[in-house]
Amino acid sequence: MASMPEPRQAARGGRAQAGAGAQTQEGAWAQTWSPTWHFTDDTYNRAAASFENPYFVDCVVHSYRHRIGNAAGEPRFLDVEKQLAKRPAIQVPAIVLRGADDTLGGREPAEAADRATFPKLVSRKLVAGAGHFLPRENPGAVSTALLEVLAASK
């Protein structure tokens, strides 16, 4: 595994995040990612320790840059990345879940777009009262979907 570079402030958005740590992330959770999720202090505090990690900003910024092709990935995964860049259809039964209150996902794609990606699409659901953290915000919807896709896989 490649070693992480020494902690440093990342460019642009990273500089805005660096040093802000958990306080900035709490605002992101509450106002952007899952505005209707009423998480407890305990739930947030367990996650907040990771935001204070000196590598947090660099990891997040690099992740987004890599996702849009503006940063190199791990060399050992290059062949897999090339295959995935072709956006192959996922040929197993699948269910698409989206949180109705997730402000990060943009507008919901048309069913035809989901079916092109998932030819064996079992169903697609918009989960009311949930944002970006579906397994945390509505574990019942996620476990029900898992049971549904398992049943369709028989």
Side-chain angles (χ1 to χ4, degrees):
M1 178 156 87
S3 62
M4 289 294 299
E6 287 301 311
R8 62 174 165 54
Q9 285 190 343
R12 291 176 146 189
R15 281 193 295 271
Q17 290 287 322
Q23 184 179 21
T24 299
Q25 294 306 314
E26 185 172 14
W29 275 32
Q31 297 163 15
T32 305
W33 299 332
S34 295
T36 56
W37 183 27
H38 303 290
F39 51 87
T40 66
D41 287 344
D42 183 56
T43 295
Y44 183 77
N45 290 335
R46 284 193 315 253
S50 66
F51 307 144
E52 300 300 336
N53 182 313
Y55 297 108
F56 176 75
V57 172
D58 283 343
C59 288
V60 171
V61 171
H62 180 81
S63 172
Y64 283 102
R65 286 180 178 159
H66 177 259
R67 193 176 308 172
I68 60 172
N70 288 333
E74 183 75 30
R76 64 188 167 140
F77 299 125
L78 188 57
D79 289 339
V80 172
E81 286 184 13
K82 286 178 181 176
Q83 290 174 349
L84 293 174
K86 296 175 187 174
R87 306 276 316 210
I90 297 170
Q91 299 290 345
V92 296
I95 294 180
V96 174
L97 298 176
R98 292 186 177 88
D101 301 330
D102 185 352
T103 61
L104 297 179
R107 65 180 187 81
E108 184 177 0
E111 184 171 352
D114 282 341
R115 289 205 178 277
T117 302
F118 304 102
K120 297 181 180 182
L121 186 66
V122 174
S123 68
R124 45 198 310 266
K125 301 175 189 303
L126 193 60
V127 181
H132 198 64
F133 304 117
L134 276 170
R136 294 291 301 193
E137 296 176 67
N138 194 330
V142 174
S143 59
T144 297
L146 286 169
L147 293 173
E148 187 178 344
V149 80
L150 287 171
S153 301
K154 291 182 179 179

